[in-house]
Each structure stands twice: as structure tokens, then as C-alpha cells.
Amino acid sequence: MSNRVRIVIVGDSGVGKTCLTHLIAHHESLIRPGWTVGCNIQVKIHEFKEGTARQCPYFVELFDVGGSLNHKNTRSVFYAGVHGIILVHDLTNGKSQEHLLDWLYEIVNKEGKDTYKSRGSSTPSSASPPRSTFSSNAPESASASNSAVRFDMEEFLGATQTPILVMGTKLDLIDEKRQPKTAVKKVGGIADKCGAEEIWLNCRDTRSLAAGTTDSVKLSRFFDCVIEKRESHCSGSATPDFGSFGFGAPPDRRRPVYSAASLPEYSLYGGPTSSNGMRMEQSAIPLLDTNDLK
């Protein structure tokens, strides 16, 4: 199916990714969400460039990835072929917002990008601008050494060119009198560093993403950006699109299957013969590969 994009939704465990995914896909709240083990996949039909001549339906695959540290070594299978990233944090938990940088590190590092070059003492002592530092409680940093991991956001954005959207959940739990919205948002947060838009919402309120609202327009604009990036990637290369990380299809390591017409004919003397009946050189095609016996 060509009219489809894949968006991965990541964040710490318990921030409300499953409720958010259900709200986006079905426009209804989830009463009793469960813990996600592995990945929960929902599909939303999005009208690309609605109201214009380019309008067409797209299938948006939402990959809600479980945030438990127990499954961090197996999460990389869900990051292949990703066209967009939604970073989710809990507005009542500041640590969950700080860990979003670590989630970006995990996604790109699993794809083999070399945008994280310095660790701890190996950081060059140059006059370069300071970089964001990962916390020790991060999903990827938990298995790393105690040395700080330096994150270059500019290199990250240049390496992936993947659209990013930041979403804060549990807006209903914020006491407006004691903790207004302006106090929750920090200057220079993850959204500012990524140049991404940010949405705060209550996943239990279906009006949060109602048609025509500001947050709904932001979400629709993000989906359009993801689709445009995918289409530009497809038009820029003759190979099929397998995601915006720049990786093609994995190599086929299976043994080739030959038809009877394509197999060479072997003479009685152990060598293959050509179409005119002449025997080919013995070294042209070996009769037996000793590696197959191991």
C-alpha cells in the first residue's frame, strides 16, 4: 500500500501514550488503558491537504511503543521505516520531559546514525556551544556507562530530517491556580530544540482534538508534513520508500533459487558445459563449496 506512513509514539512508561494513540485514531477516550508490552498499533485515516486539489486519503500507522526498561533491547524493531516521531511526556512529571532527548537518542542510535560522537572524557575541549546532556535515568543511558552522553541536536536533525511533534498529556491534573501552564513549559525545551510544535491536552476529553480546534490543526499539519517528507523521499530516489532515515530494504540473505533453465549443465568429467557443448574451466563454478559443510 503506497498511501501510508508510519509514526512512532514514544515516551516514558505511564505518560499516557496508549490513551493518546486511541484518541487520535478513534476520536474517543480510553476508559481503562492497560500497560503496553511491545507495541500497540492503531491506524488513522488522514485526509492529506484537505480542501485542496492534492487532497487524498492516507493511512497513518501509529506505533505506540511500550516505555518499560525491561523491553528496551527489543524496541529497535519498531523504529525501522519510521516517517515521523511523536514525543509524549507527562505535564505533571518534569522528568518525563527531560527523558525525551534520550528517546530520540534511542531511535536514531538503533538506526546506526553516528550523531553521538562524544562520551564523558572523550568530549573535545573546544569552544563549541554546549550540548544537551542525557540523564542517567534515560532508557538508553541506563545500560550505558556512567559518563555523560553529549547530544548534538543540530546533527540529529540534519541526519534524520524526520518530522517531530511533542505532546504533553494529563493537562487536567495541573492545578491552574497553583501551577499555571506558563510555569510548566520551560524555555529551551525539547520542542524548541527540535523546532517542533507542541500540544498539551487531556486524553480523557474527546474535545481535546475536536475538528477545528487549534490542537487538531497542529496535529493535521504534522501529518501533512510527514506525508510530504515521504513523498519527497520517494520522488528523489528510484527505490521504494522504506522510511525517512535513509535506509533501503534489508539485504536478502536467502540463497538464490534457480530455475531448471538457468542451471548450468555439467559434463561427465566434473565441469560445467556452455550452450555449445564446450566444457568450461574447472575454476569457473566450483562443484562444492566447503563452507556449506560447516
Side-chain angles (χ1 to χ4, degrees):
M1 185 181 298
S2 59
N3 285 9
R4 68 172 183 87
V5 290
R6 178 178 301 178
I7 297 175
V8 63
I9 301 176
V10 295
D12 288 355
S13 180
V15 297
K17 299 186 300 295
T18 302
C19 290
L20 175 62
T21 305
H22 189 85
L23 178 63
I24 295 175
H26 304 288
H27 302 285
E28 61 181 15
S29 61
L30 190 60
I31 304 301
R32 296 180 179 178
W35 295 100
T36 302
V37 178
C39 182
N40 171 38
I41 303 176
Q42 301 284 345
V43 178
K44 173 183 175 59
I45 300 179
H46 171 70
E47 291 294 334
F48 173 63
K49 294 294 183 180
E50 187 175 4
T52 65
R54 299 178 57 190
Q55 178 177 348
C56 64
Y58 258 83
F59 290 90
V60 179
E61 299 175 352
L62 303 171
F63 277 52
D64 167 26
V65 180
S68 175
L69 291 176
N70 297 329
H71 307 103
K72 67 182 181 64
N73 294 328
T74 59
R75 287 197 292 248
S76 60
V77 296
F78 306 121
Y79 301 150
V82 170
H83 303 99
I85 302 172
I86 295 180
L87 302 174
V88 184
H89 66 96
D90 183 353
L91 292 173
T92 63
N93 183 4
K95 289 291 184 180
S96 64
Q97 184 179 12
E98 296 176 2
H99 293 169
L100 294 181
L101 282 174
D102 302 274
W103 282 99
L104 288 180
Y105 171 76
E106 177 177 303
I107 294 174
V108 183
N109 189 48
K110 292 297 183 182
E111 289 290 342
K113 293 294 184 182
D114 188 18
T115 59
Y116 316 92
K117 301 178 181 179
S118 55
R119 285 180 177 268
S121 60
S122 61
T123 305
S125 57
S126 60
S128 59
R131 299 177 179 181
S132 302
T133 305
F134 291 110
S135 60
S136 59
N137 296 328
E140 188 65 26
S141 303
S143 61
S145 60
N146 294 329
S147 58
V149 180
R150 302 294 178 177
F151 183 85
D152 194 328
M153 181 61 68
E154 292 183 358
E155 279 192 61
F156 164 76
L157 294 176
T160 62
Q161 298 180 352
T162 304
I164 298 174
L165 177 66
V166 181
M167 304 191 74
T169 60
K170 304 182 183 180
L171 182 61
D172 55 312
L173 299 182
I174 297 180
D175 188 352
E176 292 287 342
K177 296 181 180 180
R178 298 182 180 180
Q179 191 178 22
K181 295 181 180 180
T182 55
V184 178
K185 184 176 181 180
K186 298 180 180 179
V187 178
I190 181 66
D192 295 334
K193 293 177 182 179
C194 296
E197 291 190 300
E198 189 169 7
I199 297 176
W200 293 355
L201 77 168
N202 173 18
C203 296
R204 298 184 182 275
D205 187 0
T206 57
R207 298 171 298 177
S208 299
L209 295 177
T213 60
T214 302
D215 292 339
S216 176
V217 173
K218 287 183 180 180
L219 183 62
S220 179
R221 190 160 53 222
F222 169 71
F223 288 153
D224 285 349
C225 182
V226 171
I227 296 172
E228 283 183 333
K229 286 286 185 180
R230 177 195 178 278
E231 290 185 347
S232 63
H233 179 78
C234 290
S235 61
S237 66
T239 58
D241 174 59
F242 292 94
S244 54
F245 283 106
F247 289 86
D252 190 356
R253 302 185 183 277
R254 297 174 297 179
R255 296 195 176 191
V257 179
Y258 299 100
S259 62
S262 63
L263 292 174
E265 298 180 0
Y266 287 86
S267 65
L268 296 177
Y269 300 98
T273 59
S274 61
S275 59
N276 56 7
M278 300 296 294
R279 193 165 73 90
M280 299 171 61
E281 292 294 334
Q282 183 71 21
S283 60
I285 301 179
L287 293 178
L288 179 65
D289 188 355
T290 56
N291 293 329
D292 293 341
L293 300 178
K294 295 180 181 180

